[in-house]
Amino acid sequence: MTVTVTWYLILAAGLFSIGVGGVLIRRNALVMFMSIELMLNSVNLTFVALSKDLGLIEGQVAALFVMVVAAAEVTIGLAIIVAIFRRRSSANVDELAEMKG
Amino acid sequence: MGELIVFIVFAAVALVGAIVMVTSSNTVYAAIGLLSTMFALAVLYIALDAHFIAAVQVIVYAGAVMTLFLFAIMLIGVDRPEAYGPVTMGQKVMTAVVSVGLFAVIVLAGRTAWVTGSDAFGVPDLNGTIENVADELFGTWTIVFLSTVMLLTIAALGTIALAYFDHGPKDEEATL
């Protein structure tokens, strides 16, 4: 029994669904942010698996670009969360409902 | 056979880490769960012959990004009661239904467009070494690569601006 690309794609779909569930169920901004990172990682797994299956290196280059964007997103997102925490003393998204500082 | 064992073991590690991240009430445990998922994905990248991507995964995600997350957890604090309060049982059930439903939709939609190659996949031999990735990256995608350099610079400047120009609640209290 050999491992085919379908197995990797199903694993990536499962990880993506768990990430969506994390964004829906959690109220802590940090954990919601980690769930978004999980979704980005599962998409990377799809890129790399299809790159292997089709014999094209472009999939790995796309995964590299996703990693760069994720790194930029993490720096900005965590800076925003820390700035909100310094003003409101909370990382709970339910307490950030009104849009004023 | 060896590839099968590697896939099963590390796919299980990735899934368990992801579930621990979503369900644990302690933020540090959530970060550790995400860390194990990222390491497991790095091993799967090596199984897929993407050696350079696997190294970058360990350095960037498991190294830099998770360190940043743990740093933010340290700043915000882990001891305060977890903000799990208003999540009701009905919301949990609905979230589980939405997650499983999304998984089913992705798999069903993918089945119609599944890549129908030969079973032993990777027929055109592909090796994701630094040399092969760099040939593509600096040959075809040079402009895109340079724009990511700009993106990272702007992100760093934005972070500095957020940290530097934030006056915080103290000034507001002083004026009130």
Side-chain angles (χ1 to χ4, degrees):
Chain A
M1 200 171 178
T2 53
V3 183
T4 64
V5 68
T6 310
W7 296 29
Y8 286 100
L9 295 184
I10 288 175
L11 172 66
L15 289 175
F16 190 89
S17 304
I18 294 172
V20 170
V23 172
L24 289 176
I25 197 73
R26 296 306 294 263
R27 292 291 172 272
N28 189 321
L30 273 174
V31 182
M32 291 174 78
F33 210 56
M34 288 183 204
S35 302
I36 293 170
E37 290 300 313
L38 180 65
M39 287 192 269
L40 286 167
N41 264 285
S42 74
V43 172
N44 265 349
L45 182 62
T46 308
F47 271 129
V48 174
L50 284 175
S51 159
K52 164 95 171 166
D53 188 55
L54 301 173
L56 298 169
I57 200 84
E58 277 89 347
Q60 297 184 12
V61 175
L64 200 62
F65 285 134
V66 170
M67 283 180 186
V68 172
V69 172
E73 175 223 342
V74 162
T75 51
I76 291 290
L78 286 179
I80 291 173
I81 289 174
V82 170
I84 289 173
F85 180 80
R86 273 166 41 183
R87 278 172 179 264
R88 308 292 297 270
S89 298
S90 169
N92 186 334
V93 291
D94 279 345
E95 294 169 17
L96 304 174
E98 73 259 35
M99 293 188 72
K100 58 182 182 182
Chain B
M1 193 61 199
E3 200 191 352
L4 183 70
I5 295 171
V6 166
F7 178 82
I8 289 174
V9 169
F10 286 98
V13 169
L15 285 173
V16 168
I19 290 169
V20 164
M21 185 205 76
V22 171
T23 55
S24 72
S25 58
N26 190 328
T27 320
V28 176
Y29 293 166
I32 300 298
L34 186 58
L35 189 63
S36 64
T37 300
M38 284 165 174
F39 270 119
L41 284 181
V43 174
L44 291 180
Y45 291 161
I46 292 175
L48 288 166
D49 286 338
H51 309 290
F52 177 61
I53 299 293
V56 173
Q57 168 90 3
V58 171
I59 293 169
V60 171
Y61 270 123
V65 169
M66 290 317 295
T67 308
L68 263 180
F69 266 113
L70 289 171
F71 191 70
I73 291 169
M74 182 196 80
L75 280 178
I76 288 178
V78 289
D79 289 329
R80 61 187 57 252
E82 156 66 13
Y84 221 105
V87 178
T88 61
M89 197 64 210
Q91 284 171 328
K92 288 181 187 174
V93 172
M94 280 305 292
T95 303
V97 168
V98 168
S99 288
V100 174
L102 181 70
F103 176 71
V105 166
I106 293 173
V107 170
L108 283 178
R111 264 176 63 84
T112 61
W114 252 194
V115 182
T116 51
S118 68
D119 275 356
F121 71 125
V123 179
D125 201 21
L126 179 72
N127 205 352
T129 56
I130 295 178
E131 194 180 355
N132 289 345
V133 174
D135 274 347
E136 184 70 21
L137 189 62
F138 297 114
T140 316
W141 304 101
T142 315
I143 301 295
V144 184
F145 177 77
L146 290 177
S147 58
T148 62
V149 174
M150 267 172 60
L151 174 74
L152 284 173
T153 311
I154 293 167
L157 288 176
T159 308
I160 292 168
L162 271 171
Y164 193 73
F165 299 114
D166 186 36
H167 295 295
K170 277 178 199 159
D171 297 352
E172 291 169 20
E173 280 163 19
T175 53
L176 284 175

